[in-house]
Amino acid sequence: MENSTQESNLRSEICVTYDSPYPIYAMAVSNAAAASPHIRRIAVGSFIEEFNNRVDILSFDHDALSLKPTPSLSFDHPYPPTKLMFHPTPAASTASASTATSAANILASSGDYLRLWELRDSSIEPISVFNNSKTSEFCAPLTSFDWNEVEPRRIGTSSIDTTCTIWDIEKGVVETQLIAHDKEVYDIAWGEAGVFASVSADGSVRIFDLRDKEHSTIIYESPQPDTPLLRLAWNKQDLRYMATILMDSNKIVILDIRSPTMPVAELERHQASVNAIAWAPQSARHICSAGDDGQALLWELPTVAGPNGIDPISMYAAGAEINQLQWSEAQSDWISVAFANKLQLLKV
């Protein structure tokens, strides 16, 4: 395990690398500072095709450009985590400092169940395991989840059993469970406190409002019937816009929820399938994508797209298929990518 600083061509020359003992998939960046204001915790999950997996907690010092594991905070995880998220405590929370710090130390993971973990100074403790199965100790695997920034007591999960489940994690109960799609649900994203969207193997993007659980709005369907949609990102700076990606496609589809069915833009400069997308946390017009071509592309969406499509404003080449991408609110000038057994932070 080591970290290094090397040349990158994503608009700047700074790139910090962590080498893991195993392949990496899930990752999350904490919004709250750790030991000092310039240190952030990053969680990375292994992708090993067996029951025993690991989650490592790293400390990223953006002044010293170091990325180091904290062995006392590594823990075993059943199956590869499909997603990791730290509590969405705002970087500058209005809550008391102690409450914000306490919340910021909570990590959620999905896989067989939704689980919460508490990071302490030198250990990590499991807090909760959420199982909604009424008939069995087993539940359908969870593909993803999203933690509601406006109402942090709410976490929404997506599952291969076609459902989305909204948990009240403070009470430990299901607020609602919806049959969201006709096939497996692959991703979920919150917009407002009571509004979320999901994507599915049925090829649709659907929006749900918890005030009217009987109905949903389909805002996009794959051009080829039943082409699965894999990921969904909702633009937190402008909730009119979201982005999705199709299975085995080099396209990022940009949607405006005010004009369903017709994308406002399609970004098609990747040379292979796109695996991950993330909107800029501080700008409504910037989005980053990464894929099997080993590239992370940074895009600026124009007010009006030209006839020849949109070109990225910068590009980073990783040298291997990029599986995961994060653009943290707390570190808006750093993008994290995961490929093979490496995590890299890129200065933008």
Side-chain angles (χ1 to χ4, degrees), residues 110-321:
S110 56
D112 51 353
Y113 303 108
L114 175 67
R115 301 169 187 267
L116 294 184
W117 316 79
E118 183 183 3
L119 280 67
R120 300 184 177 172
D121 289 340
S122 57
S123 66
I124 191 150
E125 301 295 330
I127 303 175
S128 308
V129 179
F130 298 94
N131 176 13
N132 191 33
S133 175
K134 306 289 190 294
T135 57
S136 162
E137 59 182 294
F138 304 105
C139 71
L142 302 177
T143 52
S144 187
F145 70 94
D146 196 23
W147 207 324
N148 194 314
E149 292 180 11
V150 184
E151 289 264 14
R153 64 183 176 85
R154 282 178 171 158
I155 291 181
T157 63
S158 56
S159 172
I160 64 168
D161 68 1
T162 76
T163 67
C164 289
T165 304
I166 308 304
W167 287 93
D168 182 325
I169 60 169
E170 291 178 2
K171 296 178 180 175
V173 298
V174 171
E175 189 174 334
T176 190
Q177 184 175 47
L178 303 169
I179 297 174
H181 289 267
D182 301 327
K183 294 185 177 180
E184 299 95 326
V185 189
Y186 286 140
D187 205 4
I188 182 171
W190 288 102
E192 303 166 39
V195 179
F196 69 89
S198 57
V199 292
S200 162
D202 66 14
S204 67
V205 179
R206 303 187 187 204
I207 295 181
F208 298 84
D209 190 325
L210 296 180
R211 294 165 297 189
D212 181 10
K213 299 170 190 168
E214 301 301 314
H215 302 96
S216 65
T217 304
I218 297 177
I219 63 160
Y220 178 73
E221 291 184 288
S222 303
Q224 290 77 37
D226 286 342
T227 300
L229 302 177
L230 301 182
R231 289 286 167 258
L232 180 68
W234 207 323
N235 187 335
K236 296 298 168 63
Q237 295 297 314
D238 189 338
L239 291 172
R240 296 173 297 179
Y241 296 101
M242 55 176 66
T244 187
I245 55 177
L246 295 81
M247 180 179 281
D248 300 326
S249 168
N250 73 330
K251 278 198 303 196
I252 302 103
V253 179
I254 309 296
L255 305 169
D256 182 336
I257 64 174
R258 298 167 301 177
S259 49
T261 71
M262 279 300 294
V264 292
E266 293 186 336
L267 312 178
E268 301 183 82
R269 296 298 186 261
H270 278 281
Q271 306 302 310
S273 301
V274 180
N275 296 324
I277 44 177
W279 289 97
Q282 80 290 10
S283 161
R285 293 176 56 208
H286 292 85
I287 189 169
C288 190
S289 60
D292 279 351
D293 55 4
Q295 296 191 126
L297 302 182
L298 186 60
W299 312 80
E300 181 175 10
L301 300 179
T303 311
V304 179
N308 300 318
I310 301 166
D311 288 320
I313 57 174
S314 55
M315 178 272 283
Y316 166 78
E321 293 94 341

